[in-house]
Amino acid sequence: MESGLTVAVFGAYGHTGRFVVAQLRDRGFVPVLSGRDAAKLEKAASESGLEARPASVDDPASLDRALAGAAAVINCAGPFAATAGPVIEAALRAGIPYVDVAAEIEANVDTFTDFAERARAAGAVIVPAMAFYGGLGDLLATAAMGDWTAADEAHVAYGLSGWHPTAGTRASGVVSGERRGGQRVRYANGRLEYRDDKPPTLEWPFPDPMGPRAVIGEFTMADVVTIPSHLSIPDVRTYMTVEAARELSDPDTPAPAPVDEHGRSAQTFLVDVVVRSGGAQRRAVARGRDIYAITAPLAVEAVDRILTGQTRTVGVASAGEIFDALGFLHALAPHLTLELRR
Protein backbone atom coordinates (compact mmCIF):
# COMPACT_ATOMS: atom_id res chain seq x y z
CA MET A 1 0.00 0.00 0.00
CA GLU A 2 1.61 3.26 -1.14
CA SER A 3 -0.74 5.47 0.79
CA GLY A 4 1.16 8.36 2.34
CA LEU A 5 -1.30 8.03 5.21
CA THR A 6 -0.16 9.12 8.65
CA VAL A 7 0.06 6.50 11.39
CA ALA A 8 0.79 7.53 14.98
CA VAL A 9 3.19 5.29 16.88
CA PHE A 10 2.98 5.58 20.65
CA GLY A 11 6.24 4.42 22.21
CA ALA A 12 8.02 5.12 18.92
CA TYR A 13 11.49 5.44 20.47
CA GLY A 14 11.41 2.01 22.16
CA HIS A 15 13.08 -1.11 20.81
CA THR A 16 9.98 -2.50 19.10
CA GLY A 17 8.67 0.97 18.27
CA ARG A 18 11.72 1.69 16.14
CA PHE A 19 11.15 -1.48 14.13
CA VAL A 20 7.51 -0.46 13.65
CA VAL A 21 8.44 3.04 12.48
CA ALA A 22 10.93 1.63 9.95
CA GLN A 23 8.37 -0.88 8.65
CA LEU A 24 5.71 1.81 8.26
CA ARG A 25 8.10 3.88 6.15
CA ASP A 26 9.00 0.84 4.05
CA ARG A 27 5.28 0.28 3.41
CA GLY A 28 4.61 3.87 2.29
CA PHE A 29 3.07 5.24 5.48
CA VAL A 30 4.16 8.42 7.26
CA PRO A 31 4.82 7.69 10.94
CA VAL A 32 4.22 10.32 13.59
CA LEU A 33 6.34 9.64 16.65
CA SER A 34 4.74 9.84 20.06
CA GLY A 35 5.52 8.78 23.60
CA ARG A 36 5.93 9.83 27.19
CA ASP A 37 9.65 10.68 27.26
CA ALA A 38 10.06 13.99 25.42
CA ALA A 39 13.87 13.80 25.30
CA LYS A 40 13.93 10.31 23.79
CA LEU A 41 11.17 11.31 21.41
CA GLU A 42 12.99 14.37 20.13
CA LYS A 43 16.17 12.34 19.65
CA ALA A 44 14.30 9.73 17.60
CA ALA A 45 12.61 12.48 15.57
CA SER A 46 15.92 14.22 14.92
CA GLU A 47 17.51 10.98 13.71
CA SER A 48 14.59 10.06 11.47
CA GLY A 49 13.40 13.44 10.23
CA LEU A 50 9.88 12.64 11.38
CA GLU A 51 7.42 14.67 13.43
CA ALA A 52 7.39 14.21 17.20
CA ARG A 53 4.29 14.67 19.33
CA PRO A 54 4.93 14.10 23.05
CA ALA A 55 1.97 12.65 24.94
CA SER A 56 1.21 11.17 28.32
CA VAL A 57 -1.40 8.59 29.25
CA ASP A 58 -2.28 10.88 32.17
CA ASP A 59 -3.08 13.76 29.80
CA PRO A 60 -5.94 12.93 27.37
CA ALA A 61 -5.54 16.25 25.55
CA SER A 62 -1.92 15.40 24.71
CA LEU A 63 -3.02 12.02 23.32
CA ASP A 64 -5.66 13.77 21.22
CA ARG A 65 -2.97 16.06 19.78
CA ALA A 66 -0.73 13.06 19.09
CA LEU A 67 -3.46 11.29 17.11
CA ALA A 68 -4.79 14.35 15.28
CA GLY A 69 -4.98 13.70 11.55
CA ALA A 70 -3.69 10.12 11.87
CA ALA A 71 -5.38 7.29 9.99
CA ALA A 72 -4.52 4.77 12.73
CA VAL A 73 -2.44 4.35 15.87
CA ILE A 74 -0.05 1.56 16.88
CA ASN A 75 0.70 1.37 20.58
CA CYS A 76 4.19 -0.01 21.28
CA ALA A 77 4.55 1.37 24.81
CA GLY A 78 4.43 -1.05 27.68
CA PRO A 79 3.52 -1.83 30.32
CA PHE A 80 0.20 -2.01 28.48
CA ALA A 81 -1.68 -2.28 31.75
CA ALA A 82 -1.00 1.47 31.97
CA THR A 83 -1.06 2.56 28.32
CA ALA A 84 -3.64 0.47 26.45
CA GLY A 85 -6.77 1.93 28.02
CA PRO A 86 -5.88 5.62 27.61
CA VAL A 87 -4.60 5.20 24.04
CA ILE A 88 -7.69 3.19 23.06
CA GLU A 89 -9.88 5.94 24.52
CA ALA A 90 -7.99 8.49 22.43
CA ALA A 91 -8.39 6.35 19.30
CA LEU A 92 -12.12 6.08 19.91
CA ARG A 93 -12.37 9.86 20.31
CA ALA A 94 -10.41 10.31 17.08
CA GLY A 95 -12.46 7.68 15.25
CA ILE A 96 -9.40 5.72 14.10
CA PRO A 97 -8.32 2.06 14.38
CA TYR A 98 -6.12 0.98 17.27
CA VAL A 99 -3.48 -1.77 17.13
CA ASP A 100 -1.08 -2.72 19.92
CA VAL A 101 1.74 -5.20 20.49
CA ALA A 102 0.84 -6.16 24.06
CA ALA A 103 2.09 -9.50 25.34
CA GLU A 104 0.63 -8.93 28.83
CA ILE A 105 -2.15 -11.46 29.40
CA GLU A 106 -4.14 -9.37 31.86
CA ALA A 107 -3.84 -6.19 29.79
CA ASN A 108 -5.23 -8.01 26.77
CA VAL A 109 -8.08 -9.43 28.84
CA ASP A 110 -8.82 -5.86 29.97
CA THR A 111 -9.01 -4.67 26.37
CA PHE A 112 -11.56 -7.33 25.42
CA THR A 113 -13.54 -6.83 28.63
CA ASP A 114 -13.55 -3.04 28.79
CA PHE A 115 -13.93 -2.08 25.14
CA ALA A 116 -15.68 -4.87 23.22
CA GLU A 117 -19.19 -3.50 23.55
CA ARG A 118 -18.31 0.15 22.97
CA ALA A 119 -16.09 -0.57 19.99
CA ARG A 120 -18.67 -2.81 18.34
CA ALA A 121 -21.40 -0.23 18.81
CA ALA A 122 -19.19 2.46 17.30
CA GLY A 123 -18.05 0.28 14.40
CA ALA A 124 -14.48 0.80 15.60
CA VAL A 125 -11.57 -1.61 15.12
CA ILE A 126 -9.31 -2.50 18.05
CA VAL A 127 -6.73 -5.26 17.59
CA PRO A 128 -4.71 -6.10 20.71
CA ALA A 129 -1.63 -8.37 20.88
CA MET A 130 -0.80 -7.88 17.19
CA ALA A 131 2.72 -9.13 17.83
CA PHE A 132 4.96 -12.18 18.02
CA TYR A 133 3.18 -13.28 21.20
CA GLY A 134 -0.59 -13.36 20.85
CA GLY A 135 -0.96 -12.36 17.21
CA LEU A 136 1.31 -14.82 15.43
CA GLY A 137 0.17 -17.83 17.47
CA ASP A 138 -3.47 -16.90 16.86
CA LEU A 139 -2.93 -16.59 13.10
CA LEU A 140 -1.14 -19.95 13.01
CA ALA A 141 -3.81 -21.70 15.08
CA THR A 142 -6.58 -20.24 12.92
CA ALA A 143 -4.79 -21.28 9.72
CA ALA A 144 -4.18 -24.77 11.10
CA MET A 145 -7.87 -25.16 12.02
CA GLY A 146 -8.86 -24.67 8.40
CA ASP A 147 -12.48 -25.88 8.03
CA TRP A 148 -12.71 -27.12 11.62
CA THR A 149 -15.25 -25.17 13.67
CA ALA A 150 -13.95 -26.45 17.01
CA ALA A 151 -11.06 -28.38 18.51
CA ASP A 152 -10.31 -30.04 21.83
CA GLU A 153 -6.97 -28.35 22.43
CA ALA A 154 -4.36 -26.04 20.94
CA HIS A 155 -0.66 -26.11 21.72
CA VAL A 156 1.74 -23.27 20.87
CA ALA A 157 5.39 -24.23 21.34
CA TYR A 158 8.05 -21.54 21.12
CA GLY A 159 11.46 -22.73 20.01
CA LEU A 160 13.68 -19.72 20.61
CA SER A 161 17.44 -19.91 20.18
CA GLY A 162 17.64 -17.57 23.17
CA TRP A 163 15.84 -14.61 24.66
CA HIS A 164 17.56 -11.34 25.45
CA PRO A 165 14.63 -9.29 26.79
CA THR A 166 14.23 -5.56 26.31
CA ALA A 167 13.70 -3.18 29.21
CA GLY A 168 10.06 -3.00 28.15
CA THR A 169 9.67 -6.77 28.35
CA ARG A 170 11.12 -6.79 31.85
CA ALA A 171 8.90 -3.90 33.00
CA SER A 172 5.79 -5.57 31.61
CA GLY A 173 6.74 -8.82 33.31
CA VAL A 174 7.00 -7.08 36.66
CA VAL A 175 3.54 -5.55 36.26
CA SER A 176 2.00 -8.87 35.21
CA GLY A 177 3.63 -10.63 38.17
CA GLU A 178 2.24 -8.05 40.57
CA ARG A 179 -1.26 -8.35 39.11
CA ARG A 180 -1.13 -12.14 39.56
CA GLY A 181 0.15 -11.93 43.12
CA GLY A 182 3.10 -14.11 42.14
CA GLN A 183 0.91 -16.88 40.76
CA ARG A 184 1.25 -18.39 37.32
CA VAL A 185 -1.59 -18.65 34.84
CA ARG A 186 -2.83 -21.20 32.32
CA TYR A 187 -5.92 -21.58 30.11
CA ALA A 188 -7.82 -24.80 30.73
CA ASN A 189 -11.45 -25.89 30.78
CA GLY A 190 -12.44 -22.75 28.92
CA ARG A 191 -11.02 -20.24 31.41
CA LEU A 192 -7.89 -18.70 32.88
CA GLU A 193 -6.68 -20.53 35.97
CA TYR A 194 -4.25 -19.03 38.48
CA ARG A 195 -2.00 -21.52 40.21
CA ASP A 196 0.71 -21.64 42.87
CA ASP A 197 2.52 -24.78 41.69
CA LYS A 198 5.51 -24.78 39.37
CA PRO A 199 4.99 -25.38 35.64
CA PRO A 200 6.11 -28.77 34.34
CA THR A 201 9.24 -29.36 32.28
CA LEU A 202 8.74 -31.73 29.36
CA GLU A 203 9.96 -32.50 25.85
CA TRP A 204 8.34 -30.99 22.77
CA PRO A 205 8.79 -32.64 19.33
CA PHE A 206 9.74 -29.59 17.28
CA PRO A 207 10.04 -30.25 13.53
CA ASP A 208 13.47 -30.79 12.01
CA PRO A 209 16.06 -29.40 12.03
CA MET A 210 15.38 -28.30 15.63
CA GLY A 211 14.02 -31.66 16.75
CA PRO A 212 12.86 -32.59 20.27
CA ARG A 213 13.75 -30.00 22.91
CA ALA A 214 13.17 -29.53 26.62
CA VAL A 215 10.48 -26.91 27.23
CA ILE A 216 8.72 -25.27 30.14
CA GLY A 217 5.13 -26.46 29.91
CA GLU A 218 2.34 -23.97 30.56
CA PHE A 219 4.74 -21.08 30.00
CA THR A 220 1.68 -19.01 29.34
CA MET A 221 1.70 -16.19 26.81
CA ALA A 222 -0.94 -13.92 25.22
CA ASP A 223 -2.12 -16.71 22.89
CA VAL A 224 -4.37 -17.91 25.74
CA VAL A 225 -6.34 -14.68 25.31
CA THR A 226 -6.34 -14.29 21.52
CA ILE A 227 -7.01 -17.88 20.41
CA PRO A 228 -10.04 -18.66 22.60
CA SER A 229 -11.47 -15.18 22.00
CA HIS A 230 -12.88 -16.53 18.71
CA LEU A 231 -12.02 -20.22 18.38
CA SER A 232 -13.96 -22.89 20.24
CA ILE A 233 -10.98 -24.50 21.96
CA PRO A 234 -11.30 -25.10 25.72
CA ASP A 235 -7.64 -25.86 26.38
CA VAL A 236 -4.84 -23.66 25.03
CA ARG A 237 -1.30 -24.36 26.24
CA THR A 238 1.93 -22.57 25.38
CA TYR A 239 5.50 -23.78 25.87
CA MET A 240 8.96 -22.20 25.88
CA THR A 241 12.37 -23.74 25.30
CA VAL A 242 14.19 -24.06 28.62
CA GLU A 243 17.22 -22.05 27.52
CA ALA A 244 15.12 -19.06 26.47
CA ALA A 245 13.07 -19.16 29.67
CA ARG A 246 16.27 -19.27 31.71
CA GLU A 247 17.69 -16.21 29.93
CA LEU A 248 14.45 -14.30 30.41
CA SER A 249 14.47 -14.93 34.15
CA ASP A 250 18.15 -14.06 34.59
CA PRO A 251 18.46 -10.35 35.54
CA ASP A 252 21.97 -10.30 34.08
CA THR A 253 20.90 -11.30 30.56
CA PRO A 254 21.69 -8.28 28.34
CA ALA A 255 19.23 -6.58 26.02
CA PRO A 256 19.15 -7.69 22.36
CA ALA A 257 22.08 -6.47 20.27
CA PRO A 258 21.80 -5.64 16.55
CA VAL A 259 23.88 -7.73 14.16
CA ASP A 260 22.58 -6.62 10.75
CA GLU A 261 21.69 -3.45 8.85
CA HIS A 262 18.05 -3.77 9.90
CA GLY A 263 18.88 -3.75 13.60
CA ARG A 264 17.86 -7.37 14.13
CA SER A 265 19.55 -9.58 16.69
CA ALA A 266 20.97 -13.04 15.95
CA GLN A 267 18.01 -14.71 17.71
CA THR A 268 16.03 -17.22 15.64
CA PHE A 269 12.62 -18.70 16.38
CA LEU A 270 10.38 -21.59 15.45
CA VAL A 271 6.71 -21.46 16.45
CA ASP A 272 5.04 -24.85 16.32
CA VAL A 273 1.24 -24.82 16.65
CA VAL A 274 -0.74 -28.03 16.95
CA VAL A 275 -4.55 -28.23 17.16
CA ARG A 276 -6.23 -31.51 18.04
CA SER A 277 -9.81 -32.70 17.66
CA GLY A 278 -10.58 -36.25 18.68
CA GLY A 279 -7.89 -38.38 17.12
CA ALA A 280 -7.08 -35.85 14.37
CA GLN A 281 -4.26 -33.33 14.45
CA ARG A 282 -3.33 -30.30 12.34
CA ARG A 283 -0.14 -28.28 12.50
CA ALA A 284 1.23 -24.90 11.45
CA VAL A 285 4.90 -23.97 11.75
CA ALA A 286 6.54 -20.56 11.35
CA ARG A 287 10.25 -19.81 11.29
CA GLY A 288 12.02 -16.47 11.38
CA ARG A 289 14.46 -14.19 13.12
CA ASP A 290 14.18 -11.80 16.08
CA ILE A 291 10.87 -11.84 17.96
CA TYR A 292 10.88 -8.06 18.36
CA ALA A 293 11.68 -7.35 14.72
CA ILE A 294 8.96 -9.69 13.40
CA THR A 295 6.39 -7.81 15.46
CA ALA A 296 6.77 -4.80 13.14
CA PRO A 297 5.51 -6.44 9.91
CA LEU A 298 2.75 -8.12 11.92
CA ALA A 299 1.47 -4.80 13.29
CA VAL A 300 1.95 -2.85 10.05
CA GLU A 301 0.30 -5.52 7.88
CA ALA A 302 -2.63 -5.34 10.30
CA VAL A 303 -2.91 -1.57 9.86
CA ASP A 304 -2.65 -1.89 6.10
CA ARG A 305 -5.45 -4.47 5.98
CA ILE A 306 -7.69 -2.46 8.29
CA LEU A 307 -7.27 0.71 6.24
CA THR A 308 -7.91 -1.12 2.95
CA GLY A 309 -11.03 -2.86 4.19
CA GLN A 310 -9.56 -6.36 4.41
CA THR A 311 -11.30 -7.17 7.68
CA ARG A 312 -14.06 -9.55 8.73
CA THR A 313 -15.55 -7.84 11.77
CA VAL A 314 -15.49 -4.72 13.95
CA GLY A 315 -15.01 -4.18 17.66
CA VAL A 316 -12.21 -5.71 19.69
CA ALA A 317 -10.88 -8.67 17.72
CA SER A 318 -7.76 -10.79 17.61
CA ALA A 319 -5.73 -11.25 14.45
CA GLY A 320 -7.20 -14.64 13.58
CA GLU A 321 -10.77 -13.39 13.86
CA ILE A 322 -10.53 -10.11 11.99
CA PHE A 323 -8.16 -11.12 9.17
CA ASP A 324 -7.86 -13.95 6.65
CA ALA A 325 -5.27 -15.85 8.68
CA LEU A 326 -3.68 -17.80 5.85
CA GLY A 327 -3.55 -14.81 3.52
CA PHE A 328 -2.06 -12.68 6.28
CA LEU A 329 0.67 -15.23 6.99
CA HIS A 330 1.53 -15.54 3.30
CA ALA A 331 1.85 -11.74 3.15
CA LEU A 332 4.64 -12.01 5.73
CA ALA A 333 6.71 -14.20 3.38
CA PRO A 334 9.68 -11.80 3.25
CA HIS A 335 9.96 -12.06 7.04
CA LEU A 336 8.58 -15.52 7.85
CA THR A 337 8.56 -19.04 6.44
CA LEU A 338 5.34 -20.99 6.87
CA GLU A 339 4.50 -24.70 6.76
CA LEU A 340 1.02 -26.20 7.14
CA ARG A 341 0.41 -29.87 7.89
CA ARG A 342 -3.26 -30.78 7.72
Side-chain angles (χ1 to χ4, degrees):
M1 179 180 181
E2 295 294 331
S3 67
L5 292 174
T6 298
V7 175
V9 181
F10 191 70
Y13 47 76
H15 187 82
T16 302
R18 287 177 177 269
F19 282 121
V20 169
V21 168
Q23 183 68 21
L24 283 168
R25 298 185 88 168
D26 287 347
R27 294 288 296 269
F29 293 98
V30 179
V32 168
L33 313 186
S34 188
R36 296 162 286 186
D37 191 316
K40 290 181 180 178
L41 194 63
E42 289 299 333
K43 183 175 184 294
S46 176
E47 293 171 351
S48 63
L50 296 169
E51 181 183 1
R53 298 180 185 175
S56 169
V57 294
D58 300 321
D59 182 357
S62 70
L63 289 171
D64 292 342
R65 291 191 293 271
L67 272 54
V73 58
I74 302 176
N75 182 7
C76 301
F80 292 89
T83 68
V87 181
I88 291 171
E89 293 283 6
L92 289 172
R93 290 193 298 272
I96 62 175
Y98 168 94
V99 171
D100 72 32
V101 298
E104 298 162 42
I105 293 169
E106 290 77 15
N108 286 312
V109 169
D110 289 346
T111 296
F112 278 96
T113 302
D114 297 344
F115 294 100
E117 192 172 312
R118 285 175 56 195
R120 190 180 306 110
V125 172
I126 297 172
V127 185
M130 195 63 247
F132 179 78
Y133 295 115
L136 180 57
D138 182 33
L139 289 165
L140 290 168
T142 306
M145 288 280 286
D147 58 356
W148 285 0
T149 58
D152 298 322
E153 54 193 37
H155 302 266
V156 183
Y158 290 102
L160 272 57
S161 62
W163 189 354
H164 287 205
T166 64
T169 295
R170 292 196 183 280
S172 293
V174 169
V175 170
S176 290
E178 290 173 348
R179 293 189 68 176
R180 297 173 194 167
Q183 293 181 301
R184 69 181 184 89
V185 62
R186 71 174 187 176
Y187 188 86
N189 304 309
R191 63 185 180 89
L192 290 174
E193 298 179 349
Y194 288 84
R195 303 171 62 96
D196 293 308
D197 59 335
K198 291 185 178 181
T201 298
L202 47 90
E203 186 177 85
W204 183 264
F206 287 102
D208 292 334
M210 178 172 284
R213 296 284 294 277
V215 297
I216 304 296
E218 299 176 6
F219 190 95
T220 306
M221 304 303 292
D223 312 277
V224 302
V225 179
T226 55
I227 291 172
S229 74
H230 70 105
L231 294 175
S232 181
I233 306 177
D235 286 275
V236 180
R237 309 294 175 95
T238 61
Y239 311 82
M240 180 64 65
T241 44
V242 167
E243 297 85 355
R246 186 181 298 126
E247 288 189 340
L248 175 65
S249 64
D250 184 349
D252 295 324
T253 300
V259 297
D260 67 13
E261 69 277 15
H262 303 294
R264 297 181 303 175
S265 71
Q267 178 197 52
T268 58
F269 63 79
L270 186 158
V271 185
D272 186 19
V273 176
V274 175
V275 292
R276 294 183 178 133
S277 180
Q281 172 177 297
R282 292 179 173 180
R283 193 174 203 166
V285 180
R287 296 175 174 84
R289 181 172 164 188
D290 194 324
I291 64 174
Y292 297 105
I294 193 62
T295 288
L298 280 160
V300 174
E301 180 67 22
V303 167
D304 188 299
R305 287 176 177 250
I306 293 167
L307 295 179
T308 54
Q310 300 178 69
T311 53
R312 294 177 164 178
T313 188
V314 295
V316 180
S318 69
E321 179 181 14
I322 197 168
F323 304 119
D324 165 22
L326 190 55
F328 194 111
L329 290 165
H330 283 311
L332 298 176
H335 313 279
L336 199 71
T337 59
L338 173 69
E339 179 184 358
L340 286 178
R341 301 180 183 180
R342 291 180 179 166

